[in-house]
Amino acid sequence: MLTIDQLRTQAIDLHAGDILVSKTGAKNAPVGLGAELKPLRIVLAKTPSLTTPFEPKAFDGGDRVPFDLRVGPIEAAIDQLDKALLACVITHKAKYFKKPPSDDELAQLYVPLKKEPSDPKYSGTVRAKMTLGDKPSAKFWTTDKKPLEHANISWRDSEFAVQVRLKSI
């Protein structure tokens, strides 16, 4: 498990596996620290300090929803993770492309984790996905550690302690 402080201060040596193709044709490659390629768990905030500009909602009405977090206090760490992911893709580009692009071309194609706001008065965001509903992938508590149902959360008025799992690129 990586902490936000480790992301800010240490070089991250990510490794990636071979491309996998899902039933729907989506392509991804497992990524992790070392050769084991276990999903990477990252603690973005140990205490409630991250906020969201939007309530998480699925456009199709499903249980899998995007969860945008303002990057304010974790911006430097997200930038470091972006650098590590790009370096990983560049290192393994021969695996992923029949005719590998140059490093500069890959850097131009790379879509960073942090989405810059259209209005500079707002903070950038980073998007995670979570499952709500009958089998949620996220758990919520009040500040006095009582379980909280996601339907009862005032999303824009809340602060979150967040741990994410990065499993593929």
Side-chain angles (χ1 to χ4, degrees), residues 70-81:
R70 291 186 180 102
V71 296
I74 60 170
E75 187 167 8
I78 295 299
D79 290 343
Q80 284 294 99
L81 185 55

Side-chain angles (χ1 to χ4, degrees), residues 93-110:
K93 66 183 176 182
K95 254 194 236 189
Y96 306 135
F97 299 96
K98 290 179 183 172
K99 184 180 175 190
S102 72
D103 294 359
D104 288 338
E105 289 171 323
L106 275 176
Q108 291 297 315
L109 292 170
Y110 181 75

Side-chain angles (χ1 to χ4, degrees), residues 24-133:
T24 61
K27 296 178 182 178
N28 64 54
V31 65
L33 292 174
E36 293 181 24
L37 298 180
K38 290 183 180 177
L40 186 61
R41 288 178 35 194
I42 305 168
V43 177
L44 294 179
K46 287 183 183 180
T47 59
S49 59
L50 300 179
T51 60
T52 182
F54 315 110
E55 179 177 343
K57 286 188 178 179
F59 294 108
D60 64 359
D63 290 339
R64 188 102 169 122
V65 297
F67 185 45
D68 294 335
L69 294 163
R70 291 186 180 102
V71 296
I74 60 170
E75 187 167 8
I78 295 299
D79 290 343
Q80 284 294 99
L81 185 55
D82 265 330
K83 288 178 189 174
L85 288 167
L86 179 58
C88 181
V89 171
I90 288 171
T91 299
H92 299 286
K93 66 183 176 182
K95 254 194 236 189
Y96 306 135
F97 299 96
K98 290 179 183 172
K99 184 180 175 190
S102 72
D103 294 359
D104 288 338
E105 289 171 323
L106 275 176
Q108 291 297 315
L109 292 170
Y110 181 75
V111 178
L113 297 170
K114 181 176 63 177
K115 182 180 176 189
E116 296 294 343
S118 55
D119 187 335
K121 71 180 179 184
Y122 297 108
S123 174
T125 58
V126 63
R127 175 167 284 178
K129 298 267 184 159
M130 65 181 169
T131 303
L132 301 175

